[in-house]
């Protein structure tokens, strides 16, 4: 069955089913009543039961769904209608199909970064410059004001706390997709209990903690870079380099609410996957462009250019 559903309250004592998707690698955990044959992430109809994996970390926090599946579908319907005219036919008029809510595992990471940095700082100054030009056939000397930049190097150390970096722990939902759905309002985080996700499909982390930690550290260093960029004095800067020693790392697994929709817009195309932030309603999807529409538009532009050129040559007379 692949019906959209509302959360149900079921007995907590029921053993949960462990399902795996051979297509995208998602590792689902559901209650028997929610047994699914289709993967909520990739819609592959090949979800199989799997033995529970021992040693999987338990979530520490979970963020609840604030958006109903009806609202999620409305958001997606509006999103589809607002796609640009060059998307493949059928997308803008497609009906959002099945809606599935999934608690996606992610790591919440924060750290104290001790950063050493180096950059070139540019200070602008104005200067009068004399130059020669030709006026009425005579060579004359004139002056003008020009802006020049003086560069000096700056280096130093900066300590800062980087909080609330979120990275996916799921192979079913890539990190760039999670980033497109962010931000989540993390003030809504609650301590995880199984009752919190009762009635929902949840996923176990399918990426290793080491993979997730590496990604989180990379994002933290990027945030340090952005912060340094804003902190740089002068009128401009270039060659900003930085390296951080990371201390007091905190890594907590949490579950994030995501609605996943499979939108069928053509018989011969795989369904378009659209994701909705289950808290804010932010929609993310990649509507494919129509090769024919783009080609036709380019040809029309080329034709107009050719006509304009023809007319400018006097050929239109
Ligand atoms: Zn899948």
């Amino acid at each position: 069955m692949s019906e959209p559903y509302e959360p149900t309250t079921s007995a907590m004592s029921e053993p949960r089913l462990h399902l795996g998707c051979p297509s995208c690698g998602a590792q689902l955990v559901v209650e028997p009543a929610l047994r699914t044959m289709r993967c909520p992430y990739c819609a592959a109809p090949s979800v199989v039961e799997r033995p529970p994996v021992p040693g999987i970390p338990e979530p520490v926090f979970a963020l609840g769904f604030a958006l109903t599946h009806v609202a999620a579908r409305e958001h997606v319907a509006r999103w589809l209608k607002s796609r640009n005219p060059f998307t493949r036919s059928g997308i803008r008029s497609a009906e959002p199909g099945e809606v599935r809510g999934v608690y996606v595992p992610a790591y919440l990471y924060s750290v104290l970064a001790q950063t050493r940095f180096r950059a070139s700082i540019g200070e602008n100054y104005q200067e009068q410059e004399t130059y020669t030009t030709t006026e009425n056939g005579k060579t004359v000397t004139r002056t003008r004001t020009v802006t020049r930049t003086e560069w000096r190097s700056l280096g130093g150390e900066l300590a800062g706390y980087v909080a609330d970096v979120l990275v996916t722990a799921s192979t079913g939902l890539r990190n760039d997709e999670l980033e497109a759905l962010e931000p989540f309002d993390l003030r809504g985080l609650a301590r995880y209990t199984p009752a919190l996700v009762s009635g929902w499909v949840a996923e176990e982390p399918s990426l290793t903690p080491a993979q997730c930690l590496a990604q989180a550290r990379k994002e933290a260093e990027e945030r340090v870079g952005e912060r340094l960029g804003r902190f740089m004095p002068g009128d401009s800067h270039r060659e900003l380099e930085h390296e951080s020693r990371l201390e007091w790392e905190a890594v907590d697994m949490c579950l994030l609410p995501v609605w996943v929709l499979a939108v069928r817009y053509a018989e011969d195309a795989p369904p378009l996957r659209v994701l909705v932030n289950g808290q804010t309603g932010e929609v993310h999807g990649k509507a494919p462009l129509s090769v024919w529409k783009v080609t036709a538009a380019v040809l029309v532009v080329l034709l107009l250019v050719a006509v304009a050129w023809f007319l400018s040559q006097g050929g239109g007379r």
Side-chain angles (χ1 to χ4, degrees):
M1 281 295 289
S2 55
E3 288 292 307
Y5 56 84
E6 290 280 23
T8 55
T9 45
S10 60
M12 286 314 304
S13 55
E14 261 184 303
R16 297 191 295 169
L17 278 177
H18 291 76
L19 305 172
C21 173
S23 176
C24 75
Q27 306 272 297
L28 308 168
V29 187
V30 301
E31 284 145 42
L34 293 174
R35 173 189 281 274
T36 175
M37 292 301 154
R38 244 176 222 285
C39 174
Y41 287 116
C42 68
S46 49
V47 169
V48 291
E49 213 170 324
R50 64 177 169 93
V53 182
I56 289 278
E58 275 268 295
V60 181
F61 299 111
L63 199 57
F65 276 87
L67 196 77
T68 64
H69 80 266
V70 177
R73 186 183 293 236
E74 282 166 4
H75 277 76
V76 172
R78 270 201 301 277
W79 180 85
L80 286 167
K81 284 198 185 75
S82 66
R83 290 308 87 199
N84 83 50
F86 295 113
T87 50
R88 285 192 55 176
S89 302
I91 287 185
R92 297 206 295 165
S93 56
E95 284 290 318
E98 308 138 16
V99 191
R100 293 189 185 84
V102 187
Y103 274 104
V104 178
Y107 280 98
L108 185 61
Y109 174 84
S110 50
V111 74
L112 178 68
Q114 307 273 7
T115 307
R116 296 171 80 96
F117 67 89
R118 219 177 37 215
S120 285
I121 305 297
E123 302 278 8
N124 293 348
Y125 63 95
Q126 312 222 298
E127 213 175 47
Q128 297 294 316
E129 182 183 73
T130 55
Y131 64 103
T132 54
T133 182
T134 312
E135 268 175 26
N136 305 323
K138 276 192 273 181
T139 303
V140 291
T141 302
R142 295 267 180 273
T143 62
R144 64 186 165 197
T145 306
V146 288
T147 301
R148 299 198 194 283
T149 306
E150 184 180 300
W151 295 97
R152 63 191 169 83
S153 61
L154 176 74
E157 288 188 27
L158 191 73
Y161 193 62
V162 183
D164 299 342
V165 174
L166 271 179
V167 293
T168 185
S170 162
T171 50
L173 188 120
R174 296 189 318 268
N175 201 58
D176 61 305
E177 294 179 307
L178 178 62
E179 270 173 18
L181 293 179
E182 283 182 61
F184 286 88
D185 182 357
L186 298 173
R187 287 171 302 181
L189 278 181
R191 199 144 273 277
Y192 169 83
T193 65
L196 217 60
V197 301
S198 168
W200 296 88
V201 174
E203 203 206 336
E204 286 184 338
S206 39
L207 294 174
T208 66
Q211 285 171 308
C212 300
L213 190 59
Q215 178 67 29
R217 286 175 176 158
K218 186 171 149 265
E219 282 184 30
E221 190 70 60
E222 283 165 9
R223 288 235 206 134
V224 167
E226 287 161 20
R227 195 179 286 170
L228 279 170
R230 290 194 295 272
F231 164 85
M232 288 295 114
D235 298 303
S236 54
H237 66 267
R238 63 186 186 191
E239 293 149 14
L240 174 59
E241 284 172 25
H242 53 95
E243 196 181 351
S244 302
R245 200 170 69 241
L246 302 173
E247 293 174 359
W248 300 101
E249 287 184 303
V251 193
D252 290 313
M253 219 248 281
C254 59
L255 295 176
L256 301 174
V258 176
W259 290 110
V260 188
L261 289 90
V263 178
R264 272 168 224 285
Y265 61 93
E267 292 283 320
D268 57 341
L272 169 66
R273 182 164 89 143
V274 184
L275 306 165
V276 184
N277 181 320
Q279 187 190 33
T280 66
E282 183 68 33
V283 178
H284 171 70
K286 285 218 163 76
L289 292 179
S290 159
V291 176
W292 292 114
K293 287 186 190 175
V294 172
T295 309
V298 168
L299 287 178
V300 166
V301 170
L302 286 178
L303 189 68
L304 288 175
V305 169
V307 167
W309 179 81
F310 183 69
L311 291 176
S312 74
Q313 296 298 305
R317 248 177 266 142

